[in-house]
Amino acid sequence: MEPPSLPIEVIEHTLNFLDGDFHTLAACSLVCHSLLPGCRALVWRDVNLNAAAYKFKERLDKLTEILTVIPDIGYHVRSFTILCGQRARISVEGAIHLCRLFPALLSLTLYSVDSADLLTVFSLLHSVPTLEALYLFDIGDNFLRASTLYSLPSLPPLPYITATSGTSSEHDMLSQSNLRVLSMVGRRQLRGPSFQAIAPFVKNLGRETSSLRSLDLRAPVDNVLREEPRVPNFASQLTHFGIVVSDTQENGDIDALGREHMAKVFADLPRCSSLRSLCIQYDASAAFFDREYLHRMRIAPPPSSHPWINPFFLEKLSHILESAPGGPPFPDLERLALVFLNPLDWLLSGKAAFDQLAQACLSVNTERNAQGKRRYPRFARLEIQVRIEDMCFTLGKHAKVADARARFVEMREEAMLLFAGFTRAGVEVEILWVDRRYQVERA
C-alpha cells in the first residue's frame, strides 16, 4: 500500500512561504524529487544580472552553461532584469539572446540603455513572443561606449525587422505581440533621430489588434525635436499613460518650445479615454543642475530662497480635467501620479495650483443625469514622486544623496499640507522618494 501523499496545491502553497529564502528552497529541493519543480519555480522566477558585480563574467558564463545543460530551468523564469552602467554592460542583442533561453518570460527590464540600441530592442521583440512587459530605464545617448562590453557564448543568429521594411507579414509579427506594458524612462535627453527611429515600432505596437495597454514615454527628447514625445493616436486603448513635460531652462526662465510642446500634450490627453492611471513627469532637472553646480563650484553664492516650479503645467492639467468638452476625459481615472525632477521644497509655494488641481479632480459633475456625482467617481489616489537621487550622484559626492533624503523626510509633513483638498475628500495621498533604480520608496 502506497503511503498517502499531499495534493500538489498544498505543497506549492507551503513552498510559497519560503519565497525569497533561496538557501532553504535549495535544501527543500534535495528532500525529494516531487519538491524540486516547486522549489525551482520560486528560485528561478526572477533572474537579475548586475554587470558591475564581482566576477560578473564568470557568473554570466555559468548562467548560460546551466541553462544550456538543464534547459527546463528556463521555463521557470518569468522576470529578467539586467543592470548595466558606466563600467560594464551587456549588449542589448546579447540580452535578447539570453531571453530566448527563457521560453515563458513575461517581463524584461533593462537599465542604462544606450539610445543607439533602442532600434535593436524593438526590432528583436518578435523573438520573445511571450513577453508582456518591457521596461527600459535610464535611457541616454552614447554614455556607455567606454564601458566594458561582455560577450556571450555563441548562439544562433537572430532575425531582424527593420523600421522601414514595410512588408505586411513583418508588421503582423509586431502587431500580434503579447506586449501589454511598454515603459521608457530616463533622465538623459534622447536625440531626435534616436526617438524618430523607434517611432514606427511604437506606433505599430499600438495598432487596434494589439494588446498594449500601458505606455510610459518619460524619456526627455532634446530641443531639436521638441514635438516628441506626444500622445499617440492609439491612446484610446490605454489604461495607463505616462509622459514627460518641461518648460524650464537652466537659468529658470521659461522655455518657449517646451511650453508649446506641453500645451499640445495636454490638448491631446482626452484621447486617452480609457485611462485608469495617468503619470505626468515634470522635468526641472536643468534648473536643478545649474543651481547646484554653480553653488558647488563657488561660481554663485548659496541660493537665498528655494525656487518654485512654474505652475503652468498644473494649471493646464487642471483645465483639461475640469473643462474638457463632452464630459470628463477620463471617466474611469483611479490614480494620478506627478513625478518631479526637483527637490520637494520646490513645491511649497504652489498651494494655489494644487488646490486648483484638487478642485478639477474632485468637482461635481454638472452634466445632465449626473445626479451630483463627482466627475471622477473612482479617483482615489494621488502620488507625488520626487526623483533627484540619480541627479545627486551625478553631481558627485554620495553624501549629497543622504542630505537630499534627510531633507525630503524633513519637508514631507509640511508638503502634505499642499494636498489638503485631496485628503479632505478621502483621496489617499502619498509623497514618495524615487531611488537611482527608479524604484519608489517611502523613505
Side-chain angles (χ1 to χ4, degrees):
M1 181 177 178
E2 293 184 2
S5 59
L6 291 173
I8 186 63
E9 293 84 359
V10 174
I11 295 175
E12 291 178 347
H13 180 71
T14 304
L15 289 175
N16 282 335
F17 287 100
L18 301 176
D19 192 5
D21 187 348
F22 299 118
H23 179 76
T24 305
L25 286 170
C28 287
S29 68
L30 301 176
V31 172
C32 67
H33 187 72
S34 62
L35 293 181
L36 181 58
C39 293
R40 274 185 177 173
L42 292 173
V43 169
W44 288 92
R45 182 186 58 202
D46 304 309
V47 174
N48 301 308
L49 294 179
N50 187 346
Y54 178 65
K55 292 188 176 180
F56 172 72
K57 184 61 168 67
E58 290 83 346
R59 295 181 181 185
L60 180 61
D61 292 342
K62 188 65 175 178
L63 174 64
T64 54
E65 179 185 346
I66 291 173
L67 293 171
T68 304
V69 175
I70 316 175
D72 287 350
I73 288 178
Y75 285 89
H76 296 300
V77 179
R78 296 293 183 268
S79 172
F80 185 35
T81 300
I82 298 181
L83 269 70
C84 298
Q86 298 286 353
R87 297 182 180 178
R89 65 188 175 102
I90 302 175
S91 69
V92 168
E93 184 173 2
I96 303 295
H97 267 302
L98 281 173
C99 291
R100 297 177 70 190
L101 301 176
F102 309 139
L105 186 68
L106 299 178
S107 175
L108 173 62
T109 303
L110 302 176
Y111 283 90
S112 298
V113 180
D114 196 301
S115 60
D117 295 325
L118 286 176
L119 187 58
T120 304
V121 173
F122 284 93
S123 66
L124 296 175
L125 270 179
H126 67 286
S127 67
V128 193
T130 61
L131 199 66
E132 294 183 358
L134 174 62
Y135 302 95
L136 306 175
F137 290 114
D138 208 11
I139 304 169
D141 277 308
N142 299 320
F143 64 95
L144 294 175
R145 295 307 179 197
S147 59
T148 302
L149 180 63
Y150 289 113
S151 59
L152 298 172
S154 298
L155 292 171
L158 292 171
Y160 281 83
I161 299 177
T162 62
T164 56
S165 54
T167 66
S168 59
S169 61
E170 290 165 344
H171 281 198
D172 288 342
M173 273 196 287
L174 281 179
S175 63
Q176 293 171 7
S177 164
N178 288 321
L179 202 67
R180 299 181 61 84
V181 178
L182 173 60
S183 180
M184 298 170 56
V185 181
R187 61 181 172 83
R188 300 173 176 86
Q189 284 191 337
L190 292 180
R191 296 199 179 102
S194 299
F195 193 89
Q196 286 177 317
I198 65 170
F201 290 97
V202 176
K203 181 178 180 180
N204 204 40
L205 283 168
R207 291 175 63 179
E208 292 181 1
T209 56
S210 80
S211 57
L212 193 66
R213 293 296 177 267
S214 176
L215 179 64
D216 242 320
L217 298 176
R218 291 189 286 129
V221 180
D222 65 14
N223 291 331
V224 177
L225 192 70
R226 292 307 290 270
E227 289 294 306
E228 302 290 354
R230 291 281 297 276
V231 178
N233 293 329
F234 56 85
S236 60
Q237 72 187 46
L238 299 175
T239 57
H240 170 81
F241 181 61
I243 198 166
V244 58
V245 295
S246 176
D247 63 353
T248 307
Q249 298 181 4
E250 289 87 348
N251 60 3
D253 291 344
I254 298 302
D255 178 4
L257 288 176
R259 180 156 290 187
E260 181 180 352
H261 167 253
M262 185 187 298
K264 292 178 180 177
V265 165
F266 285 126
D268 291 340
L269 272 181
R271 292 182 191 168
C272 308
S273 54
S274 301
L275 280 192
R276 296 181 181 177
S277 172
L278 174 63
C279 180
I280 305 293
Q281 176 172 299
Y282 183 77
D283 186 357
S285 57
F288 173 77
F289 274 123
D290 188 68
R291 189 180 180 88
E292 291 293 323
Y293 179 78
L294 292 178
H295 173 44
R296 181 181 168 213
M297 299 302 293
R298 304 183 187 280
I299 298 174
S304 58
S305 62
H306 292 290
W308 154 240
I309 60 168
N310 195 289
F312 177 81
F313 95 98
L314 290 173
E315 295 168 355
K316 202 71 178 175
L317 178 59
S318 301
H319 178 73
I320 293 298
L321 290 169
E322 193 170 27
S323 60
F330 325 117
D332 297 324
L333 187 68
E334 300 172 1
R335 168 184 174 268
L336 174 63
L338 302 177
V339 183
F340 293 95
L341 272 62
N342 52 257
L344 182 60
D345 45 12
W346 285 28
L347 309 184
L348 295 182
S349 301
K351 191 173 188 313
F354 287 113
D355 284 344
Q356 182 180 352
L357 182 62
Q359 174 65 26
C361 293
L362 304 170
S363 60
V364 174
N365 194 344
T366 58
E367 293 181 15
R368 185 180 300 176
N369 300 324
Q371 298 179 349
K373 295 181 180 179
R374 289 191 340 198
R375 289 174 62 83
Y376 302 96
R378 297 185 180 183
F379 179 65
R381 180 173 176 82
L382 173 68
E383 290 182 13
I384 304 298
Q385 300 179 14
V386 174
R387 207 190 91 200
I388 61 170
E389 181 172 313
D390 51 347
M391 296 189 288
C392 290
F393 268 98
T394 302
L395 285 169
K397 301 176 181 178
H398 286 212
K400 273 192 168 296
V401 176
D403 293 342
R405 286 176 69 94
R407 181 66 174 166
F408 170 83
V409 173
E410 177 186 340
M411 301 299 300
R412 184 164 50 182
E413 185 174 347
E414 182 180 351
M416 280 296 294
L417 299 176
L418 298 173
F419 313 106
F422 291 94
T423 56
R424 281 196 300 267
V427 174
E428 180 185 10
V429 179
E430 277 201 286
I431 302 178
L432 304 167
W433 176 272
V434 184
D435 67 15
R436 291 184 69 202
R437 298 303 179 191
Y438 302 91
Q439 301 300 308
V440 174
E441 301 178 0
R442 286 166 176 78

